[in-house]
Amino acid sequence: MDDSKMVGGKVKKPGKRGRKPAKIDLKAKLERSRQSARECRARKKLRYQYLEELVSSKERAICALREELDMYKQWCTAMDQGKIPSEIKALLTGDEQKTPQSSSNKSSKTNKKNNQS
């Protein structure tokens, strides 16, 4: 046969098969690698900033809920002693002008809960 070799019943052609090695300048390759590493670090920094903001917002929400829980506990202990807190009286009578702070506080918490859902 021409320049072919017979190996194990198959004809093998001379030369290499597959992808030929690219003749890339070593400096260009190193610069590309450095640029990729810089971009990776920037993405990582942004990801950590996002996660830190997320954690701090969740911590603020937890604090607000704890304060609300403490308020409800105080109301319960007052009612156990036979006293009706003024906030509950206002809610029962529908007089929201007496306690604008608690009603606005309640509506803002309701809005927060609706926004999170």
Side-chain angles (χ1 to χ4, degrees):
M1 297 192 176
D2 306 68
D3 290 338
S4 307
K5 292 183 181 178
M6 190 74 129
V7 177
K10 295 182 181 179
V11 177
K12 196 154 186 151
K13 295 182 182 178
K16 294 182 180 178
R17 294 187 67 197
R19 206 170 141 178
K20 294 182 180 178
K23 296 179 181 177
I24 299 175
D25 186 22
L26 185 60
K27 288 183 181 180
K29 187 175 180 180
L30 283 173
E31 185 56 37
R32 253 195 354 242
S33 176
R34 289 182 187 126
Q35 181 64 29
S36 176
R38 278 191 290 271
E39 291 171 1
C40 180
R41 286 190 296 270
R43 285 192 305 270
K44 184 177 180 181
K45 185 177 178 180
L46 285 173
R47 189 177 325 118
Y48 273 87
Q49 286 175 348
Y50 165 74
L51 290 173
E52 285 173 356
E53 290 172 7
L54 190 64
V55 166
S56 66
S57 70
K58 298 294 182 186
E59 286 175 345
R60 284 192 302 271
I62 288 170
C63 287
L65 289 171
R66 283 194 176 136
E67 288 175 7
E68 188 178 1
L69 181 62
D70 288 338
M71 178 183 66
Y72 291 143
K73 284 180 181 179
Q74 289 174 358
W75 288 4
C76 289
T77 55
M79 286 192 291
D80 287 343
Q81 295 171 358
K83 301 172 188 172
I84 299 177
S86 59
E87 294 91 351
I88 294 179
K89 283 182 186 177
L91 288 173
L92 293 175
T93 59
D95 183 19
E96 297 195 12
Q97 292 179 358
K98 245 184 188 177
T99 56
Q101 185 182 15
S102 63
S103 64
S104 66
N105 203 7
K106 183 180 178 185
S107 64
S108 67
K109 289 179 183 175
T110 306
N111 289 337
K112 282 184 186 176
K113 288 178 185 174
N114 290 337
N115 290 339
Q116 288 177 354
S117 298

